[in-house]
Amino acid sequence: SMGNGEQALTRQWMRFGLCLPLARLLGIFYHHIGFFLNQCLVNWSTKAFAFAVAFFSLSSRQNPNFSIPAAILASNYFGVLYLAFVLSSTWPLLFEVYVENGLIAAIRSLGSLFVALSPVFSAFQSKLMAFSFVSTINYGGAQYIPTGRGLSTSREPLSKLFQCFSNSHFHDGLEVALLLCLSTNVQCGIMFYICMGLTVFSWMFAPFIFNPRQFERLATTLQDVCHWARWICTAEGNEESSWEVWAIRQQEVKKSSPLIWFFLPSSRWLAVAFSTTLVIQRNFDKWSLTP
């Protein structure tokens, strides 16, 4: 994903667009930049739907009919689109197993995917690819992380998982969970809450679930929690021993962002600005109608 983020800024894609026919261009786009852009759109839409439902739910305190459009939008579209996204990544494998081994093997393969929590891992992987793609476009710094010739997976402590996935998963997962808690006045259908719950659960807990031997021994888990608490409370040292040093290092990376992002603020600030404008306009209309 980082490599495709770097490629998206090069002249190579402009040459592809000028020289290739449309059919071949769309094929290359889907298997490279378009694939990661699709991951970004799915994750952005998840946060956008959560914010819309929370906003209209809070606004319904003034006008009960104000939350109807949000309920219709979330119940009719989000669950269907999310299910289509999940099935689009699952159908190729199922069809291949069906063609080679038959229908029973395909159903067995589908069941094994759910038992292995494949949907949870897919949502987590999609968020990681989208975050890496966007951050590389914004700040650069794409790099290859070598795994060596030994065992490619190893158990990581809690503080290391927090450093790796707090910016990409934990912050957004907690934000979406908070928005869902604020949307209690809107009934969006069971499919909406299942998809949102799966997304929040994946973003918040997938790093720990798929961490090898995470819950094998209670003493090791408690040791990780104590080490994480010391890391949070320490103000001096390096990134491995101090949360404050690590947080400052994360902000220094953003200094290399282009000046265009000064004029195009983040989606959170735009959401706050538009929400404030709508609330002020609503109250102004209410006061103007008062005799």
Side-chain angles (χ1 to χ4, degrees):
S1 56
M2 287 186 175
N4 279 270
E6 294 283 357
Q7 293 178 7
L9 304 177
T10 62
R11 299 178 182 178
Q12 182 179 3
W13 282 101
M14 184 187 69
R15 297 191 183 101
F16 283 158
L18 295 176
C19 300
L20 292 178
L22 180 61
R24 295 187 61 186
L25 177 62
L26 292 178
I28 294 177
F29 178 78
Y30 174 76
H31 287 90
H32 292 83
I33 294 179
F35 175 77
F36 297 98
L37 182 60
N38 184 35
Q39 311 300 322
C40 297
L41 294 177
V42 169
N43 291 279
W44 291 340
S45 63
T46 301
K47 296 172 58 178
F49 271 98
F51 172 78
V53 172
F55 175 77
F56 284 104
S57 176
L58 296 176
S59 302
S60 64
R61 299 177 182 272
Q62 297 182 353
N63 187 359
N65 297 326
F66 200 62
S67 61
I68 296 179
I72 296 176
L73 183 66
S75 59
N76 293 341
Y77 294 100
F78 179 78
V80 176
L81 294 177
Y82 195 93
L83 184 61
F85 170 74
V86 174
L87 291 179
S88 64
S89 59
T90 308
W91 280 120
L93 174 62
L94 296 180
F95 275 113
E96 181 180 359
V97 176
Y98 170 72
V99 171
E100 294 181 355
N101 301 319
L103 181 61
I104 302 300
I107 297 176
R108 189 179 303 160
S109 177
L110 179 62
S112 64
L113 290 177
F114 282 99
V115 172
L117 299 180
S118 181
V120 177
F121 183 80
S122 297
F124 171 79
Q125 184 185 31
S126 174
K127 185 67 172 67
L128 182 61
M129 289 189 293
F131 176 81
S132 301
F133 181 76
V134 173
S135 61
T136 303
I137 293 178
N138 293 340
Y139 313 118
Q143 59 182 351
Y144 171 73
I145 302 176
T147 58
R149 296 298 180 181
L151 187 62
S152 58
T153 57
S154 60
R155 186 183 185 280
E156 298 291 345
L158 181 60
S159 59
K160 185 65 174 180
L161 296 177
F162 188 88
Q163 294 178 40
C164 294
F165 303 113
S166 60
N167 291 332
S168 60
H169 293 80
F170 296 158
H171 293 171
D172 290 340
L174 184 60
E175 183 179 2
V176 173
L178 179 61
L179 292 174
L180 292 178
C181 293
L182 297 177
S183 61
T184 56
N185 292 337
V186 179
Q187 298 297 328
C188 300
I190 187 62
M191 196 64 187
F192 173 80
Y193 293 107
I194 290 177
C195 295
M196 279 292 181
L198 174 65
T199 302
V200 173
F201 179 81
S202 173
W203 292 358
M204 295 293 294
F205 301 105
F208 310 105
I209 294 176
F210 295 102
N211 189 25
R213 299 181 177 179
Q214 175 66 53
F215 307 103
E216 185 177 19
R217 296 178 57 188
L218 180 60
T220 306
T221 304
L222 294 177
Q223 184 180 0
D224 280 350
V225 174
C226 295
H227 181 269
W228 174 79
R230 289 195 302 268
W231 180 73
I232 288 291
C233 299
T234 304
E236 299 178 353
N238 53 19
E239 297 182 15
E240 300 296 331
S241 60
S242 173
W243 171 86
E244 183 176 347
V245 177
W246 170 80
I248 294 174
R249 179 69 180 89
Q250 296 298 314
Q251 298 302 319
E252 291 178 353
V253 176
K254 298 181 179 180
K255 294 181 180 179
S256 60
S257 60
L259 293 178
I260 189 175
W261 294 110
F262 178 79
F263 302 98
L264 295 175
S266 64
S267 58
R268 294 183 180 92
W269 288 109
L270 290 176
V272 171
F274 291 146
S275 303
T276 304
T277 304
L278 289 174
V279 171
I280 293 176
Q281 182 181 3
R282 175 67 181 175
N283 292 332
F284 179 79
D285 294 341
K286 182 179 179 180
W287 294 335
S288 61
L289 294 176
T290 303

